[in-house]
Amino acid sequence: PIGIPGEELSGVYGGVDFLRKVNLGKKPRIGKKCAVIGGGNVAMDVTRSAVRLGAQRVTCVYRRRQEDMTAQVEEVEGAIAEGAEILTLHAPLRVEVEDGRATALWAQPQLIGEVDKAGRPRPNTASVEPVRIPADIIIVAIGQGIESKGFEQAGIKIQRGGTLLAYSSTQLPELDGVFAGGDCVSGPATVVRAIAAG
């Protein structure tokens, strides 16, 4: 969850669930206008899928600059080439509702701030009015977390940020014959890196 009012409403979907339906050949109800929240590869997959499913206007909302997106550059360029709008420096604020369904996403413009530990400028709230982005559906594609509590209880070392500590060989420290790989070690990355770890 992203933690904004209205995200539990009808018409608001998770990115992975949306893509699962698309990949299973089910056509999710897309409407004419779609807002996508996020700046990673999943957000770009969702954005491009929404365009291909027939949405007339797809707006991908991201709180940082385009160059700060974690999505591959060619994925972002591909989304723009397919007709999607990338609305950067806008942080999701709330979902507008009418008759129990989402009708718009409100976003707060942002300013560039100090660089964080990851080397990206931290966004700060701009002193201007929020922006209304009309949307028949809103898809939240901000990434997924790692359920590390059970690992920690089993004595596996957890790094700051919740990832498991593993050697480059994928073996866990002090645990012979126990290995870990993929996003639970590297954090959000590509399927290719996860397969390589496997």
Side-chain angles (χ1 to χ4, degrees):
I2 195 167
I4 60 172
E7 70 177 315
E8 73 289 344
L9 296 168
S10 177
V12 182
Y13 304 98
V16 173
D17 292 336
F18 176 81
L19 290 174
R20 184 179 295 114
K21 287 179 183 174
V22 171
N23 286 321
L24 289 173
K26 301 173 183 175
K27 281 196 165 187
R29 181 189 164 277
I30 199 75
K32 293 180 180 179
K33 298 172 187 160
C34 175
V36 178
I37 301 170
N41 285 320
V42 172
M44 290 304 105
D45 288 345
V46 167
T47 299
R48 297 178 82 174
S49 294
V51 170
R52 294 171 189 173
L53 285 169
Q56 294 173 8
R57 182 175 181 179
V58 180
T59 306
C60 181
V61 181
Y62 184 58
R63 66 190 186 106
R64 297 177 190 262
R65 303 173 304 175
Q66 186 170 323
E67 56 265 36
D68 300 320
M69 287 180 151
T70 57
Q72 295 174 342
V73 173
E74 55 270 19
E75 289 293 327
V76 178
E77 290 172 351
I80 293 168
E82 288 192 58
E85 176 189 4
I86 308 294
L87 183 62
T88 57
L89 291 172
H90 281 75
L93 197 59
R94 66 181 174 88
V95 174
E96 181 181 305
V97 62
E98 186 176 307
D99 297 326
R101 283 198 60 82
T103 56
L105 174 68
W106 284 85
Q108 179 65 51
Q110 303 290 293
L111 297 170
I112 298 296
E114 293 180 16
V115 175
D116 62 18
K117 292 177 184 176
R120 299 186 305 171
R122 185 174 288 123
N124 294 314
T125 302
S127 299
V128 295
E129 292 297 312
V131 174
R132 184 181 186 272
I133 303 153
D136 299 311
I137 70 162
I138 298 166
I139 305 170
V140 180
I142 58 167
Q144 300 176 69
I146 299 161
E147 294 289 341
S148 58
K149 189 175 181 180
F151 293 114
E152 196 169 16
Q153 290 171 344
I156 294 172
K157 292 183 181 177
I158 307 298
Q159 301 182 92
R160 188 172 178 199
T163 58
L164 280 62
L165 178 63
Y167 297 127
S168 60
S169 67
T170 69
Q171 182 170 330
L172 298 180
E174 303 169 16
L175 291 170
D176 290 337
V178 181
F179 303 87
D183 289 4
C184 69
V185 172
S186 65
T190 63
V191 171
V192 172
R193 283 185 64 186
I195 292 169

